[in-house]
Amino acid sequence: MTIKAILADDEQNLTDYLKQRLSQMWPELEVVASAANGPEALRLIDDHAPEVVFLDIKMPGLTGLEVAGRIDPKTHVVFVTAYDQYAVDAFDRQAVDYLLKPVTDDRLQRAISRLREKLIKKESPQDVAAILASIAKVLPTTKSSYLRWIRASVGELTKQIAVDDVLYFQAQDKYVSVYTKEGGKESESLIRTPLSELIEQLEPDRFWQIHRSTVVNVERIAGTTRDVMGRTTVKLKDSKAELQVSRAYSHLFKQM
């Protein structure tokens, strides 16, 4: 049985090395795609639904921890880290699979052996939310300057939109539509920034990608519905919009 995997790391040399070594050490594993940043990793995971992902902790846009918190909890995750022994100890305490840079064959083989055993036994990954919260406490953090204002077009008019006022973003061909509520009416403006680049500039705890073409302001969510086919739809406060949630992101709403 072929097992699909995705590699996500902004160091191309490491990605190439892992891909080459995995092909030798785990022939049943097929690396179907690789990503250089967090948002790209999310998109590829949505497209391919891999059984295993290798995530660099420190990536542009979204960290490996943030990506892991947004994907299907059935996916097995191996973190790749260059952090010091304190962080490694945290991974060990939580029994999380990780690779320490520079990656050695011995450490990679141990990670492969554990993954193989879990997949053969059809074991589910651990409770990722609790694990990530514990690990995040000991990792070095850097303050990010998230987007606060957006310059968008409405016809010939260019206006400044506060990110706080955005209901949701939706990719439309060559543009991204920005939906806001103004004067009791829903308003649509356009920006040329690709959705994948926009996600990198948005605060991940406040703006969730729920579909490859849609990012929603969590504070504007009124609730969700689920049809007989198990498909989730997001309903917004003060808006008639009903946003479809793709399968890869449906787990974000299990508590709603």
Side-chain angles (χ1 to χ4, degrees):
M1 181 185 72
T2 300
I3 299 163
K4 293 184 292 184
I6 284 177
L7 310 180
D9 197 300
D10 60 345
E11 297 181 34
Q12 187 61 47
N13 289 340
L14 179 61
T15 299
D16 293 341
Y17 171 78
L18 276 178
K19 188 173 183 179
Q20 187 270 331
R21 297 310 297 146
L22 285 167
S23 69
Q24 295 291 321
M25 302 168 72
W26 197 355
E28 304 88 355
L29 185 80
E30 179 187 3
V31 177
V32 294
S34 58
N37 58 63
E40 184 183 13
L42 280 178
R43 179 178 60 79
L44 291 172
I45 292 168
D46 186 18
D47 288 345
H48 296 281
E51 288 84 4
V52 180
V53 294
F54 291 80
L55 295 175
D56 184 18
I57 291 290
K58 193 175 182 181
M59 288 188 293
L62 295 169
T63 69
L65 297 181
E66 290 168 335
V67 171
R70 296 186 182 194
I71 64 177
D72 191 323
K74 296 179 182 178
T75 307
H76 292 272
V77 176
V78 178
F79 291 108
V80 184
T81 178
Y83 287 122
D84 60 21
Q85 190 60 43
Y86 292 103
V88 171
D89 288 345
F91 283 99
D92 284 335
R93 284 196 301 273
Q94 296 293 336
V96 173
D97 282 315
Y98 69 92
L99 298 172
L100 186 63
K101 296 181 182 181
V103 178
T104 64
D105 280 0
D106 179 63
R107 191 67 187 81
L108 181 58
Q109 185 60 65
R110 278 187 283 164
I112 289 172
S113 297
R114 283 199 297 269
L115 285 169
R116 272 178 165 160
E117 185 176 357
K118 290 176 182 177
L119 290 166
I120 290 171
K121 294 181 178 179
K122 297 183 179 179
E123 292 182 10
S124 298
Q126 296 167 275
D127 179 6
V128 69
I131 291 173
L132 298 183
S134 176
I135 292 173
K137 292 178 181 178
V138 300
L139 295 183
T141 57
T142 55
K143 291 186 178 180
S144 300
S145 179
Y146 295 116
L147 201 62
R148 295 180 59 197
W149 297 90
I150 296 172
R151 288 176 59 84
S153 301
V154 181
E156 297 182 356
L157 175 67
T158 299
K159 62 179 183 178
Q160 292 279 106
I161 299 174
V163 171
D164 290 346
D165 293 336
V166 175
L167 299 172
Y168 63 100
F169 299 93
Q170 198 157 59
Q172 309 278 358
D173 297 324
K174 296 180 180 180
Y175 298 91
V176 170
S177 293
V178 184
Y179 292 92
T180 56
K181 194 70 175 289
E182 299 177 11
K185 295 182 179 179
E186 192 167 308
S187 174
E188 178 186 4
S189 308
L190 299 176
I191 58 176
R192 290 182 177 271
T193 306
L195 192 65
S196 59
E197 293 182 17
L198 182 65
I199 293 170
E200 296 183 21
Q201 304 173 60
L202 297 170
E203 189 174 350
D205 289 339
R206 295 185 58 205
F207 287 89
W208 290 359
Q209 184 167 19
I210 61 172
H211 189 279
R212 65 182 306 166
S213 63
T214 310
V215 174
V216 65
N217 185 343
V218 177
E219 295 176 357
R220 301 298 183 123
I221 294 177
T224 61
T225 59
R226 190 171 285 109
D227 65 17
V228 294
M229 300 296 291
R231 293 172 297 199
T232 301
T233 299
V234 169
K235 295 182 179 294
L236 302 179
K237 302 171 185 175
D238 302 321
S239 173
K240 295 180 179 180
E242 296 187 354
L243 308 177
Q244 296 301 310
V245 180
S246 69
R247 178 187 56 79
Y249 302 106
S250 61
H251 64 281
L252 295 172
F253 302 95
K254 284 187 176 179
Q255 302 303 318
M256 290 189 174

